[in-house]
Amino acid sequence: FDIVASATMAAPSGNLLVNGGFEDGLRGWATACAELRCGEVHVDSLTPHAGTQAAALTSTEEQWTAVRLRQQLPTLPGGPIVMVAWVGAGEDTWSDPAAAALEVQVELRFEDAAQALLGRCVATRTDLPSSGKFEPLRVSCTPPPGVRRTWAVVHFACIRGRATLLADEVSVIAADEVSVIAADEEPEDG
């Protein structure tokens, strides 16, 4: 008699990110900045979208500042994945509203075993919702073959101005679980 034990690993379900709501500060997230002028990252408890805190990515009044929050994901489920970040504007004012410009991105970044880029999926916006209001920024894609590391990235850049991006309830889920996210979205004004 031979006894054979077999186990299958279930694909992770639900949010693949740790602390996507920033309720535990910036735990699980790393700050990255490749530009010469790096913005600041802190936790904001005055105006979160949900819960008690949001991440605040703040630019300085330099010519160009940028900052990224990123988190490596665990093993991905098979098939397409979706990243959603609820983004809003902080109370900061622009130092030069006529000349200032900004960029907000959510990105899924895929690397091979040697950490070479295999592909990326990005959603970008060049404005922020009005102060006190949050809107979802969403990207969806299928990871390419050979992926060994996947990163979820929230990026904020600003030129000739001072502004704060509030990011909250950041999630990465299997695309077949999107109805859960859609059910949590706020209704349109009107």
Side-chain angles (χ1 to χ4, degrees):
F1 242 136
D2 286 332
I3 299 177
V4 178
S6 134
T8 58
M9 296 254 326
S13 64
N15 192 355
L16 300 175
L17 293 173
V18 173
N19 193 29
F22 302 98
E23 296 305 309
D24 195 12
L26 297 172
R27 184 182 61 81
W29 294 91
T31 302
C33 185
E35 286 77 12
L36 293 175
R37 302 276 186 219
C38 193
E40 301 169 7
V41 178
H42 62 277
V43 175
D44 179 285
S45 59
L46 298 175
T47 51
H49 173 257
T52 60
Q53 299 186 135
L57 291 75
T58 302
S59 69
T60 63
E61 295 179 27
E62 305 293 334
Q63 282 298 98
W64 178 260
T65 56
V67 65
R68 291 178 184 89
L69 278 177
R70 66 184 188 152
Q71 186 174 136
Q72 186 175 350
L73 297 174
T75 304
L76 296 176
I81 56 175
V82 177
M83 179 177 177
V84 178
W86 287 86
V87 297
E91 297 296 323
D92 297 63
T93 58
W94 298 96
S95 60
D96 184 357
L102 63 85
E103 179 178 84
V104 178
Q105 291 183 338
V106 292
E107 173 187 10
L108 290 165
R109 182 178 185 85
F110 306 103
E111 299 174 352
D112 66 11
Q115 299 180 3
L117 181 64
L118 291 174
R120 59 195 284 259
C121 304
V122 179
T124 303
R125 67 182 292 162
T126 56
D127 66 342
L128 288 175
S130 58
S131 185
K133 183 176 179 187
F134 282 78
E135 295 176 3
L137 184 56
R138 174 181 293 134
V139 66
S140 175
C141 61
T142 301
V147 170
R148 293 290 185 261
R149 291 179 13 148
T150 301
W151 294 92
V153 182
V154 177
H155 169 80
F156 179 57
C158 184
I159 186 168
R160 295 181 300 273
R162 179 171 175 82
T164 297
L165 166 72
L166 298 175
D168 201 4
E169 299 306 311
V170 182
S171 62
V172 176
I173 61 172
D176 60 0
E177 295 181 36
V178 168
S179 61
V180 173
I181 295 291
D184 289 340
E185 291 184 7
E186 296 172 343
E188 295 285 326
D189 291 336

